[in-house]
Amino acid sequence: MFSPTALRPRYAKWLIATGLFLMLSGCVDKPNTLERVKEDGVLRVITRNSPATYFQDRNGETGFEYELVKRFADDLGVELKIETADNLDDLFNQVGKPNGPVLAAAGLVSSEQRKKQVRFSHSYLEVTPQVIYRNGQSRPTDAGDLVGKKIMVLKGSTHAEQLAELKKKYPGIEYEESDAVEVVDLLRMVDEGQIDLTLVDSNEVAMNQVYFPNIQVAFDLGDASNQSWAVAAGEDNSLLNEINAYLDKVQKNGTLQRLKDRYYGHVDVLGYMGATTFAQHLQQRLPKYEQHFKNYAKKEKVDWRLLAAIGYQESLWQPAVTSKTGVRGLMMLTQNTAQAMGVSNRLDPKQSIMGGAKYLAYMKDQLDESIQEPDRTWFALAAYNVGSGHLDDARKLAAKEGLNPDKWLDVKKILPRLSEKKWFSKTRYGYARGGEPVHFVANIRRYYDILTWVTQPQLEGDQVAEGNLHVPGIDKTKPNQETPPL
């Protein structure tokens, strides 16, 4: 039997070992934010429900910020979970809360006040704050002209901070901050004369110009700013470093530019006057023919908004036009095409739309099976414009150049060459104004974008007041038809 004296060394060793184990256990680092995201398999992101950030259409979730952050989640190999904030103050308060969003992606501009709450990533979009007024009213030209005007801005926005600073110099400036509206509401209120002025970033003006024909930019208020994502304040840089690496990557590989073109490029195509005119025609002309577009698009299994976009590109929704080359009607059909599609009177808008729908469906059916959506739709549009023979020529040239003949991004680089002798001399069908179908498809994609946004349901709840035009919102109904993504 062991004596107490003999047990003491063993007991002491046991105490030491146990103590070391407990000390080491206490030194194990807790997982950082990035590790937790990967362990959970979920990236939780908070954003705003607006056309420039995040909304749902018939195909599901979309929006510039959504698509950018979805690619980030895919890069991390995790699921993306989106939640929307009722207002900007709520958005910043939610970032970093336990089991809450770890990232805010909502078209945010950094400011000294905001830096006290969150940390910002590298920038991905440059925007300029702009003063918006109603056409026909006296145009403000500088900050002093804001005195005496009825002004409203988003509560908690950097625009509110700008006005607070201006008020120190111009005490007569009065403005209201509201958390019951979104940018589209502010623009609509100016458009309808409910308020005199608002402040909106240039990217959102560009996106929404086509919806509100009476709004105009008065002047830029200050210098350009950079939009960034935001993460919780603190010393954990794991997620922020990963975000910055991702944003740098998409900047270099062209992904970011493609998204900018997708969401904001229509203004570059349309121009200011084109956007204003389109907004007017949406209200004045489209309603006369909308049901015909819907009926024949459904019959031919194409998206009615795509068909309407073609009609606008071809005739500005005018049924009695005739071009110098002899094409006529709302869908500008040639005589041969009209006959082939069963159209006896090209100036009858109903017949013209029927013929256009049948012809678009026919063009899609004629394409090689190797061409998949969404490229199949863009190829069909190009063939609608330039003919399938010239399109085939361009695809063959693309293949010879080492490009993918089944991808529109590749073939559209080649199409303009069909007007150059050194290129069209190598083709079966010869010369073509190959630049035209490229512009044709680009324009239609912009019109289609706008029609898609305009025809979505209103935002739910009290965020958006009712207006004459629909804006993108949350549609809870399950999509019943697939539309090719842009």
Side-chain angles (χ1 to χ4, degrees), residues 218-442:
F219 61 93
D220 294 346
L221 188 63
D223 298 327
S225 301
N226 293 310
Q227 290 188 348
S228 307
W229 288 347
V231 300
E235 298 180 357
D236 182 350
N237 293 318
S238 59
L239 181 61
L240 186 60
N241 290 340
E242 195 76 10
I243 288 170
N244 287 336
Y246 163 75
L247 292 174
D248 291 346
K249 181 184 74 172
V250 294
Q251 175 75 50
K252 291 177 182 178
N253 66 20
T255 299
L256 185 58
Q257 187 58 49
R258 286 193 291 273
L259 284 177
K260 291 177 183 177
D261 291 344
R262 161 73 171 84
Y263 284 92
Y264 304 118
H266 64 268
V267 173
D268 295 334
V269 173
L270 301 180
Y272 174 77
M273 291 306 298
T276 302
T277 301
F278 185 66
Q280 293 171 340
H281 291 167
L282 274 173
Q283 299 178 66
Q284 298 167 4
R285 296 181 181 177
L286 179 60
K288 302 175 186 176
Y289 312 112
E290 184 173 327
Q291 197 56 51
H292 295 324
F293 283 122
K294 289 180 176 178
N295 291 342
Y296 288 111
K298 183 177 181 180
K299 186 175 181 180
E300 301 300 332
K301 298 181 180 179
V302 297
D303 190 319
W304 77 267
R305 296 164 299 186
L306 186 66
L307 193 61
I310 297 172
Y312 191 77
Q313 169 65 22
E314 293 284 41
S315 69
L316 304 183
W317 295 323
Q318 298 177 102
V321 294
T322 302
S323 78
K324 295 178 181 179
T325 57
V327 293
R328 308 185 74 186
L330 194 146
M331 302 299 286
M332 296 298 274
L333 304 175
T334 66
Q335 184 65 51
N336 289 340
T337 298
Q339 290 177 353
M341 299 299 117
V343 174
S344 59
N345 180 4
R346 287 183 288 168
L347 300 183
D348 179 340
K350 184 177 179 180
Q351 287 195 42
S352 185
I353 292 169
M354 175 199 73
K358 292 177 69 174
Y359 190 53
L360 177 62
Y362 174 77
M363 285 291 128
K364 288 188 76 171
D365 288 342
Q366 297 304 301
L367 294 171
D368 290 349
E369 292 183 2
S370 59
I371 303 173
Q372 302 298 312
E373 293 290 6
D375 299 276
R376 193 172 187 85
T377 293
W378 315 141
F379 278 113
L381 290 175
Y384 188 105
N385 175 261
V386 76
S388 56
H390 291 303
L391 182 62
D392 285 342
D393 283 344
R395 292 182 63 220
K396 290 173 183 175
L397 287 175
K400 290 179 181 178
E401 291 296 300
L403 301 175
N404 190 335
D406 296 336
K407 294 296 182 183
W408 175 245
L409 284 175
D410 284 353
V411 175
K412 78 173 187 177
K413 298 174 185 175
I414 299 296
L415 271 164
R417 297 183 183 182
L418 297 182
S419 62
E420 301 175 32
K421 186 174 182 179
K422 69 176 183 178
W423 293 102
F424 71 69
S425 61
K426 304 174 184 178
T427 66
R428 178 179 178 182
Y429 293 95
Y431 171 84
R433 293 191 294 270
E436 287 189 6
V438 175
H439 292 298
F440 182 82
V441 173

Side-chain angles (χ1 to χ4, degrees), residues 76-184:
L76 294 178
V78 299
E79 177 188 357
L80 175 64
K81 284 195 175 179
I82 292 283
E83 63 179 86
T84 57
D86 290 334
N87 54 66
L88 287 168
D89 288 340
D90 179 53
L91 181 144
F92 284 109
N93 289 334
Q94 292 298 320
V95 176
K97 280 193 172 182
N99 300 317
V102 297
L103 165 63
L108 303 174
V109 172
S110 68
S111 69
E112 292 307 311
Q113 182 62 36
R114 288 178 172 180
K115 287 178 181 177
K116 297 175 183 177
Q117 298 176 274
V118 296
R119 290 173 299 156
F120 287 93
S121 70
H122 292 175
S123 67
Y124 53 85
L125 187 67
E126 184 179 273
V127 298
T128 303
Q130 296 181 317
V131 175
I132 308 300
Y133 77 110
R134 190 175 192 271
N135 188 30
Q137 302 299 310
S138 176
R139 177 184 178 182
T141 57
D142 57 36
D145 290 339
L146 305 185
V147 174
K149 300 294 185 180
K150 186 176 182 180
I151 305 170
M152 182 183 289
V153 293
L154 296 184
K155 186 175 184 297
S157 65
T158 52
H159 304 133
E161 293 180 24
Q162 283 183 285
L163 289 173
E165 284 298 311
L166 284 176
K167 190 172 174 63
K168 296 176 182 177
K169 182 177 181 180
Y170 303 97
I173 292 178
E174 299 293 338
Y175 61 95
E176 179 183 354
E177 293 184 60
S178 176
D179 60 5
V181 297
E182 252 295 344
V183 169
V184 286

Side-chain angles (χ1 to χ4, degrees), residues 5-27:
T5 305
L7 284 172
R8 281 176 190 150
R10 294 185 182 181
Y11 182 67
K13 290 179 181 179
W14 180 83
L15 284 175
I16 293 170
T18 302
L20 286 172
F21 175 77
L22 291 173
M23 289 175 61
L24 290 171
S25 297
C27 292

